[in-house]
Structures are given as structure tokens and as C-alpha cells.
Amino acid sequence: GENVEQHPSTLSVQEGDSAVIKCTYSDSASNYFPWYKQELGKGPQLIIDIRSNVGEKKDQRIAVTLNKTAKHFSLHITETQPEDSAVYFCAASKGGSARQLTFGSGTQLTVLP
Amino acid sequence: KAGVTQTPRYLIKTRGQQVTLSCSPISGHRSVSWYQQTPGQGLQFLFEYFSETQRNKGNFPGRFSGRQFSNSRSEMNVSTLELGDSALYLCASSLSRTGVGYNEQFFGPGTRLTVL
């Protein structure tokens, strides 16, 4: 089955700096890659996603890049703010009858004021 | 539009008991998936329901089961609870299984189950 590895497990940055979280996946049939943000006591919140026919997608301060050949994708957060502090999860799915999400292990992002 | 709701939010049970958790998807969403989140195993897929039928199942024992009703609301049941079943159980809803937006899954706040 699919395996998703996520690095780093913890990341501390100064407010205003950029943060990058990287994930690799094993199944070349995966074609959908969402990123979720989970705050304490809450469920994961979808923040951005990318499909395998796109190399990059941006939404304000958040961007995701995908390299299908290398089977890795990354989340980029620019101009970080204290409210960006949370656990971030990457995930992958194949769609169709195998739509379940396989998650990475999570990255605890701390933005220091 | 209201998000995914899950009840109860917290639950304490003892070993051997059974438990039923409930999920109401976003209005208009017809697919419901369940995930288990633990510190050791992370987020793991349990099963997916669409049109009252289980469409997909993760690698969990038969003690874990679910169902979906005609209004798309879903329940999951865990029988003969074990200590290791202590986890946050998350429900996610999707618009459909095909067509525009079929991939996006939106999560509820979860039900925190503690097994003593």
C-alpha cells in the first residue's frame, strides 16, 4: 500500500520567516495530495491541495509544489505568523475506488514571536 | 454552511464494552469516511461509506464497523473495547465519489474515546 513520509517532525521559525515541510510518497498511482492543519483540540483543516497534473499551486502565503518523478511534494508557508503554529499533515490518495487518504506523521510548526 | 459534526465529543468506556459514535456530514455531502488518530500510529483510515454502502475498508479488525443512513449521517461502532482503542476518531465528508470536488475531504472535530 501507499506510504507517506514527512519531514521534519518539528520545526521552529521566527515570525516573518518561511517554513518548508516535505513529504515523499511511494505509490506512483497517487494523484491527489492535500495538506491539513490541525490545531489543539480540533480536527484537521484542509488548507491546500494539489493534483498530479499540476506542479505548483499557491494560495496567499501558502504554496505547494509537486515533483511526480521524484514522488515528493512540499508545503511552503511565507511570512509566518504566530497563528500558523499547529501540526501540519501531508496526505496522498489515488482517487477512484481507493480514495482513502494516507497521511504523513505530521510536523509540529512553532512560530516564535 | 455548517461543518461536519460529531457526537459525542468525549467518551470514557471500560474494556469489553462497546461504543457507537455519530457523524453528520456537511449538508449535501454524500460520502463519509472515518479515521483513527493516535500518537503512535498517526492518522489511519478505517472505512468509507457512500449511498449507505461501505465502499472501502482499512486494515482494522472486525470489531470496528459502521453504517450510513439515507440522510448520509453515519455511525461507527467498536465492540469489545481494548485499551489500544483509545484514540481520537475523526469523520470526514466529501461531496461525492466522482465529479468535481470528489477528492476533498473535510474533517469534523472528532470524538475522543478513552478506554479504561
Side-chain angles (χ1 to χ4, degrees):
Chain A
E2 173 68 280
N3 182 51
V4 177
E5 294 192 357
Q6 182 172 347
H7 300 280
S9 57
T10 60
L11 179 60
S12 291
V13 299
Q14 289 294 135
E15 182 177 358
D17 286 350
S18 295
V20 180
I21 302 171
K22 299 182 178 181
C23 290
T24 59
Y25 61 98
S26 61
D27 192 335
S28 56
S30 290
N31 57 16
Y32 175 67
F33 308 92
W35 286 88
Y36 287 86
K37 174 185 181 182
Q38 187 173 27
E39 296 174 308
L40 204 58
K42 297 184 179 181
Q45 176 194 1
L46 179 65
I47 56 171
I48 196 167
D49 57 14
I50 192 167
R51 287 166 176 75
S52 59
N53 58 347
V54 175
E56 183 173 1
K57 183 177 179 180
K58 190 173 183 180
D59 182 5
Q60 299 183 341
R61 297 186 296 109
I62 295 174
V64 57
T65 58
L66 171 65
N67 183 327
K68 284 191 298 181
T69 303
K71 290 191 280 188
H72 67 70
F73 56 112
S74 301
L75 177 71
H76 304 253
I77 306 174
T78 59
E79 300 172 20
T80 54
Q81 301 166 4
E83 51 265 38
D84 293 330
S85 296
V87 179
Y88 290 81
F89 291 95
C90 63
S93 84
K94 290 185 277 193
S97 61
R99 295 190 326 120
Q100 69 266 29
L101 296 169
T102 300
F103 284 88
S105 54
T107 296
Q108 174 69 63
L109 174 65
T110 302
V111 180
L112 305 169
Chain B
K1 186 183 275 190
V4 177
T5 57
Q6 293 187 244
T7 56
R9 291 293 312 277
Y10 303 91
L11 207 48
I12 299 176
K13 293 285 187 179
T14 56
R15 279 183 300 173
Q17 287 187 309
Q18 75 166 20
V19 67
T20 299
L21 313 180
S22 181
C23 170
S24 292
I26 293 170
S27 178
H29 283 198
R30 298 171 60 196
S31 170
V32 173
S33 297
W34 289 88
Y35 292 81
Q36 181 196 64
Q37 185 174 26
T38 60
Q41 299 299 316
L43 280 150
Q44 292 186 290
F45 171 76
L46 280 156
F47 30 64
E48 178 196 6
Y49 285 87
F50 179 78
S51 292
E52 303 176 62
T53 302
Q54 188 180 92
R55 303 291 179 159
N56 219 344
K57 190 176 191 310
N59 190 24
F60 279 82
R63 299 185 297 108
F64 292 82
S65 63
R67 59 177 175 169
Q68 186 180 37
F69 303 94
S70 59
N71 61 359
S72 296
R73 190 177 69 86
S74 177
E75 291 181 345
M76 69 163 282
N77 184 278
V78 188
S79 63
T80 320
L81 285 166
E82 301 177 359
L83 295 178
D85 296 334
S86 294
L88 181 68
Y89 289 90
L90 293 157
C91 167
S93 77
S94 295
L95 190 62
S96 182
R97 301 193 87 241
T98 60
V100 175
Y102 83 100
N103 273 313
E104 289 89 350
Q105 296 188 34
F106 299 93
F107 284 83
T111 294
R112 173 74 63 185
L113 172 65
T114 301
V115 181
L116 303 176

